[in-house]
Every structure is written in structure tokens, then in C-alpha cells.
Amino acid sequence: MKAIALTRYLPIDDPEALLDVDLPRPQPQGRDLLVAVKAVAVNPVDTKIRAPKDAVEEAPRVLGWDASGVVEAVGPDVTLFQPGDAVFYAGDITRPGSNQQFQLVDERIVGRKPKSLSHAEAAALPLTSITAYEAFFHRLGIDRDGADAGQTLLIIGGAGGVGSIGIQLAKRAGLTVLATASRPETIAWVKELGADHVINHREPMVEQVRALGMEHVDHIAIFNDMRHWAEAVELIRPQGGIVSIDDTDLPMPMELMKTKAASLHWELMFTRAMFRTPDMIEQHRLLCFIADQIDRGFLRTTLDTELSPINAATLREAHRRIETGTARGKIVISGFDAA
């Protein structure tokens, strides 16, 4: 089967940063699905893993953790899907990724593809949907179905992939959403997705929030990096919660967090699969919830740019765009070459 992989970790402008390779088609075992991949999305995690370093892989390493496709075959213990089912998923970072024609993935972290979306539109959603859903409803403890309606949520990184679905999920839960964006096109994007207020993260954020008549906000989600940590701590309400998805080596002073008895949560959507947690099937359930909400018209895809075909050259271009840090929504690549 065709695949796109790396053996060395190189700058993205190096033509060998990602390579077209041929690999054996894997065989499903246990609760594995073998999925014929139709479309993949590119995320910052892909570029972080591929970032230059001295390591060399003995065997080609396949990246990619967002896909939509069709179940080709199933392992003997599979109960949730059957061959022919259309599915979408983010996968497991400890296993080969989705940048290949056929991929093995545990059924417990797979959802049914939204019927109303193309494979490209669906591939934009899994990783970011899982991340935002878990951040809000599993980490911060916000009620998904509206019991916390009227509470305020500040999303730092509102125009990115996670922020784009996060705004929609938060609005569905009845929250007042403040989302950060700075460029005209990203400001328009977050407003289109439902943000109630836009905060320019290139200007002092505390003053902008206070100008809205809010001394504090109930919840904060940091969906880009930790440069705004001090402002987040200043803005979180006493006994409120901050969730972050960022790796950081920046200082994170905790004195005011302690004074406020505020909580800090970490979100990593790969955790359940990496550690085979007892509640691993929650990702299947939440992806099916996302699919249902899409098909009922309550949520929309966050696809912004579609490229084709799925090959090394196209993936290098997608990585390059992600590394600029200016992408809005999601970049998706669809279709393997027939040749």
C-alpha cells in the first residue's frame, strides 16, 4: 500500500522531510478496524513530531492523526463496526498514523462518519473535536447539555482547529464565549462560528475583558501556547478552572492560582488510547455525538483548506502552512493517486 513517512527529522523545505513509500498492508487483530483512508487532516502535533532532531528511524515512520475512511476489515473482537461502515477518528499516537492507504485503529476510539459530510469535511474534525470536548466537559466539568448556561468561557486560540470546534461546542452548551483572534480574517471566522466577543491576543487581554464588564471569567481554555498564562491567571474567577493543551517550558507562577483556589487541568486527547484507560470507549461515544450534532445541523465542519492528492509533496505543503502559525480552521488532504 502507499504511505507517506519519514526516516529522518528534517526541515519541511527539505524534499526528504516526508517521503512516498510502499508498506505492507496491515492485518486487524483484537478490536482493530482496518480502515481504507479517504482523507486526512494535518495538525500542529504532526509538525511538532516531525521537527528537526538527530534521531533516525530504522523503519519508515507514518505520521497523521486525523482521518475519515471506510472499514475494510475487522478484528475478531470487534462489535461496534462492520466492513463497509464509514468512520472518522484521530487514532493513537503510539501506533502508525493515518498518512497511509490502510490503517489499523482500535474501534473504541472511532466514531461513525457524519452522513451529511464528505470524507474531507469529516477528516477535519476528530482530533480537535475530541480535544475540545474532553477539555470542556471532562476536564473543566462544564455540563454538555446546558446546565451551566450563561457561564463565561475564554478560548485563547479561538481561530485554530481546536478553537474552531470548541467555540461551537461551548455555544451549544449555552456558554458566553470570548475567543481570541487578531487578523481580520480570523476575527470574522470566530464570529461566524458563534463567538460572542473577540479579544485581540496581540493587545492587553485583561483590559479588553474588563471593558466588557467582566471582572473575571468562569473558565479559560488555552488552545495555543502559554504566553498568556499570567493574563489567564488574572482573569480566571476564584474557584474557576483553566485547561491547557500546550507543552511548555515557560514559567507558570502559581501563587495567584492558589490564592483563588483555581484549578489547572491538562488535556491530551491521546491519553486514553496511550494508557488503554478503562473509559477508552468515551472517545467512540463523543465522536458519535459530534456526528449526530453535525447531521442535525447544530455543528459544522471546521475545514478551511482542502488539498489533493495524499502524497509526500502535498503533505509537505500542508506542514509548511501549519508551521507559519497563521492557519485558521483545518487543512485536509483527500484521495490517494489511482496510479
Side-chain angles (χ1 to χ4, degrees):
M1 65 173 182
K2 294 180 180 180
I4 297 87
L6 61 78
T7 55
R8 294 184 295 155
Y9 296 84
L10 301 168
I12 199 56
D13 57 0
D14 191 309
E16 295 189 356
L18 293 168
L19 301 167
D20 292 302
V21 299
D22 289 316
L23 297 176
R25 183 193 293 202
Q27 298 299 317
Q29 306 292 327
R31 299 190 73 170
D32 280 342
L33 309 176
L34 178 67
V35 178
V37 174
K38 304 299 183 184
V40 299
V42 181
N43 293 284
V45 64
D46 301 60
T47 66
K48 289 177 182 178
I49 290 174
R50 199 220 73 252
K53 50 182 172 283
D54 291 334
V56 177
E57 300 291 342
E58 292 185 8
R61 182 179 185 183
V62 178
L63 307 182
W65 290 279
D66 249 341
S68 180
V70 177
V71 177
E72 182 83 4
V74 301
D77 301 326
V78 166
T79 62
L80 301 173
F81 299 97
Q82 59 188 4
D85 287 344
V87 295
F88 74 146
Y89 56 91
D92 177 349
I93 202 167
T94 67
R95 304 182 75 177
S98 53
N99 298 336
Q100 53 186 327
Q101 283 184 298
F102 296 94
Q103 181 185 9
L104 293 179
V105 60
D106 190 297
E107 65 171 347
R108 289 168 290 183
I109 56 173
V110 174
R112 71 161 187 86
K113 184 184 82 67
K115 294 182 176 67
S116 58
L117 298 186
S118 68
H119 282 293
E121 292 168 329
L125 290 164
L127 184 145
T128 53
S129 295
I130 296 169
T131 300
Y133 188 108
E134 290 184 347
F136 296 164
F137 308 133
H138 295 167
R139 310 299 175 227
L140 291 176
I142 298 167
D143 183 76
R144 184 187 77 179
D145 298 313
D148 296 315
Q151 293 188 3
T152 51
L153 167 69
L154 170 61
I155 299 177
I156 300 175
V162 182
S164 294
I165 190 65
I167 291 169
Q168 298 179 69
L169 287 171
K171 288 303 298 177
R172 186 199 172 279
L175 302 187
T176 297
V177 176
L178 297 78
T180 68
S182 63
R183 293 176 288 126
E185 59 269 31
T186 54
I187 292 170
W189 175 258
V190 300
K191 287 181 177 178
E192 181 183 336
L193 293 171
D196 297 286
H197 306 284
V198 181
I199 304 299
N200 188 334
H201 55 269
R202 299 188 186 280
E203 298 177 3
M205 289 169 48
V206 174
E207 289 85 343
Q208 294 176 73
V209 173
R210 300 269 163 85
L212 296 172
M214 304 175 191
E215 182 70 16
H216 300 109
V217 293
D218 296 302
H219 314 279
I220 297 177
I222 301 176
F223 285 161
N224 55 3
D225 58 50
M226 300 297 280
R227 289 174 295 170
H228 300 290
W229 172 251
E231 292 170 295
V233 174
E234 176 67 25
L235 285 169
I236 194 65
R237 69 164 165 82
Q239 301 185 95
I242 300 173
V243 64
S244 175
I245 65 173
D246 184 50
D247 297 325
T248 187
D249 55 5
L250 297 175
M252 294 175 61
M254 291 290 173
E255 183 177 357
L256 188 54
M257 288 287 284
K258 178 182 179 182
T259 302
K260 289 184 171 182
S263 57
L264 170 62
H265 306 264
W266 297 104
E267 163 57 20
L268 180 66
M269 57 117 329
F270 293 118
T271 296
R272 283 178 159 128
M274 287 174 67
F275 294 99
R276 299 293 189 269
T277 61
D279 64 349
M280 186 171 163
I281 200 168
E282 286 299 319
Q283 290 195 350
H284 164 73
R285 293 171 180 153
L286 77 83
L287 283 172
C288 289
F289 169 80
I290 295 293
D292 176 69
Q293 296 299 296
I294 290 279
D295 287 339
R296 294 172 65 187
F298 297 134
L299 300 175
R300 52 170 279 192
T301 182
T302 54
L303 168 63
D304 181 68
T305 303
E306 182 178 355
L307 306 175
S308 185
I310 303 172
N311 62 24
T314 312
L315 273 161
R316 287 196 300 269
E317 172 60 18
H319 277 233
R320 185 194 65 76
R321 296 188 190 191
I322 292 289
E323 288 182 352
T324 67
T326 59
R328 71 173 194 179
K330 294 297 291 291
I331 300 173
V332 172
I333 308 173
S334 60
F336 284 90
D337 278 327

